[in-house]
Amino acid sequence: MTDTNPLYTSLSVSDADESQVVITGEIPVEAALTYKRQALKSLGANASVDGFRPGKMPEEMIEKRMGEERVWNEIASFAVSDAYPKIVVEKSLKPVGRPQITLTKLVPGNPIGFSMTVGIMPEITLPDYSAVSKKAIASVTETEEVTDADIDEALLSIRKNHAHAKWHQDNPDTHGHDHDIPETDLPEMNDDFAKTIGDFATVADLKIALKTQVASEKKYKLKEKRRVSIADALVGKTPFAVPPIFIESELGKMTAEFEGNVRRMGIDPMEYLAKVEKTVDQLHAEWRPEAKKRAQLQIIINAIAEKEKVEIDQKQFDREVAHIMEHYSDAKLENVKAYVETMLTNNRVFEILEGEEKAVVADAK
């Protein structure tokens, strides 16, 4: 379209809630009519009339058969779809997801009115994320130190698990039932019992192995707590409106996680929901605050990754993708690649925030 015959006129772009904009405008009649042949071809592609093969019906016959309103609606669909990317470029928008398009005026032979609600990538101002993360890490008071009490707790857990397993062997008809076993009925922790646990000659050997295991578990849990603290702090220090499409995407992931967890318990998700008297919509309503927080955090992480120029290791990326595809052969390769890229990028950003590399907090001069 030239300036003398524009594709759209009366264009207006206004801000809406939740990092969205509303675009309104009109498609002039002259511009709309340039899509008529394309619209008739589309409508006639599957139309079948005696004497004509599908897609071979004359345009005049298609227009008469389909009716003026239907043809104009098809014209509007092509014209508005063509206008959208041009508007995005003209207005320098950064859209996310598909626009919600409403035709506000649709009278054959008249300008076509449209309204588009478009999610846009929010502009965020990152805080001094290095300082924020350092403070968040310091707020976690737990340590990786393994105490005698930790070892005693681990030994008690082993005795309880052994007693429960034996109880179920002796009472096979009560599988799955919970029950309490008094500590006085638990097996005594001595060298003979230690030998039944694994390749241990004495309780002392078992304690050495437990200390290593407990230390590893405490290190992992501490790392997770620190990362949760960092995430909470970053979200709290970086307020911005989250586009609904990101929240819906996180709700979809949470739903998939929920269904996977329930199925692993051998229960159909719908049967589980019926048992707890809840619907998917009710779950989504409960999860929405967490979904919004997840979406907000991911946008922040992406911004930090861009600023830090984070690059993932290609060999590690290939290994992770191959591992997942080996175990989930039905998964779409594109989705797996996107998941692995996000996972590795997020992990690298957290490593930077944890101080493995000095984070850049000021723009390059």
Side-chain angles (χ1 to χ4, degrees):
M1 298 294 167
T2 65
D3 292 339
T4 57
N5 187 22
L7 175 54
Y8 46 82
T9 60
S10 305
L11 193 66
S12 172
V13 180
S14 58
D15 292 333
D17 294 336
E18 300 176 311
S19 194
Q20 299 181 110
V21 296
V22 176
I23 304 169
T24 60
E26 290 186 345
I27 306 292
V29 175
E30 297 79 5
L33 289 174
T34 62
Y35 292 90
K36 185 173 182 179
R37 174 163 289 183
Q38 189 176 357
L40 291 173
K41 183 178 180 181
S42 174
L43 291 171
N46 297 313
S48 179
V49 176
D50 291 344
F52 297 98
R53 288 178 296 169
K56 299 298 183 181
M57 190 188 308
E59 291 180 358
E60 297 81 4
M61 188 174 292
I62 295 172
E63 187 170 7
K64 183 177 180 180
R65 183 178 180 83
M66 297 299 175
E68 189 178 26
E69 290 186 2
R70 187 172 179 185
V71 171
W72 198 249
N73 186 75
E74 192 74 1
I75 288 172
S77 177
F78 280 106
V80 173
S81 294
D82 204 15
Y84 172 65
K86 293 178 172 61
I87 294 171
V88 167
V89 173
E90 178 185 332
K91 296 299 182 180
S92 300
L93 301 177
K94 296 180 180 179
V96 290
R98 296 181 179 180
Q100 296 178 353
I101 299 176
T102 302
L103 298 177
T104 57
K105 289 192 291 186
L106 190 62
V107 179
N110 289 271
I112 299 167
F114 62 83
S115 174
M116 307 176 184
T117 301
V118 185
I120 58 172
M121 183 61 69
E123 297 290 338
I124 69 173
T125 301
L126 288 171
D128 183 340
Y129 45 83
S130 179
V132 170
S133 300
K134 186 176 180 179
K135 185 176 181 180
I137 290 172
S139 70
V140 180
T141 58
E142 290 90 336
T143 69
E144 296 179 16
E145 180 186 359
V146 179
T147 64
D148 291 341
D150 292 326
I151 299 301
D152 290 341
E153 184 178 348
L155 290 172
L156 178 60
S157 178
I158 290 173
R159 293 167 65 204
K160 285 183 177 180
N161 290 338
H162 185 277
H164 278 272
K166 187 176 185 305
W167 191 89
H168 282 298
Q169 287 178 352
D170 297 338
N171 302 273
D173 295 334
T174 58
H175 179 71
H177 291 195
D178 193 17
H179 58 280
D180 293 322
I181 298 178
E183 187 168 348
T184 54
D185 292 343
L186 298 180
E188 181 183 353
M189 180 54 69
N190 52 35
D191 292 345
D192 289 336
F193 180 69
K195 293 174 184 178
T196 67
I197 304 302
D199 188 18
F200 308 111
T202 64
V203 172
D205 293 337
L206 175 58
K207 286 184 176 182
I208 293 173
L210 281 177
K211 185 172 184 178
T212 301
Q213 179 182 330
V214 171
S216 178
E217 291 174 355
K218 293 192 76 169
K219 183 177 182 179
Y220 173 80
K221 290 179 180 179
L222 181 58
K223 180 179 180 179
E224 290 301 302
K225 284 186 177 181
R226 285 173 173 168
R227 289 194 171 186
V228 169
S229 183
I230 291 171
D232 289 343
L234 286 174
V235 169
K237 292 287 186 179
T238 320
F240 58 89
V242 181
I245 188 170
F246 286 113
I247 299 174
E248 295 304 319
S249 175
E250 289 300 327
L251 283 174
K253 295 175 186 176
M254 294 170 76
T255 301
E257 292 171 6
F258 161 77
E259 292 178 349
N261 291 338
V262 172
R263 285 198 174 96
R264 277 191 287 275
M265 294 188 295
I267 305 172
D268 179 85
M270 291 299 102
E271 291 180 2
Y272 175 85
L273 288 176
K275 185 176 181 180
V276 298
E277 299 181 343
K278 287 190 177 181
T279 65
V280 173
D281 287 343
Q282 287 174 325
L283 284 184
H284 283 185
E286 294 175 6
W287 295 345
R288 189 166 293 277
E290 177 63 21
K292 182 179 180 180
K293 180 180 174 182
R294 286 191 186 189
Q296 188 175 356
L297 177 63
Q298 189 60 59
I299 293 172
I300 294 169
I301 289 176
N302 290 346
I304 296 174
E306 182 178 359
K307 192 167 185 177
E308 293 285 339
K309 297 180 174 58
V310 168
E311 295 182 0
I312 60 176
D313 182 85
Q314 188 62 43
K315 290 183 178 179
Q316 184 181 9
F317 173 82
D318 293 339
R319 284 197 304 270
E320 294 289 346
V321 170
H323 177 75
I324 293 175
M325 292 304 297
E326 180 182 351
H327 290 82
Y328 301 94
S329 57
D330 294 337
K332 291 184 178 180
L333 181 59
E334 298 79 9
N335 294 344
V336 172
K337 286 184 175 180
Y339 166 76
V340 172
E341 182 177 9
T342 298
M343 178 186 68
L344 294 179
T345 299
N346 290 0
N347 187 62
R348 187 70 200 103
V349 167
F350 270 109
E351 287 176 347
I352 293 172
L353 297 175
E354 289 162 339
E356 288 203 9
E357 284 186 5
K358 185 177 180 181
V360 178
V361 297
D363 292 331
K365 299 293 185 181

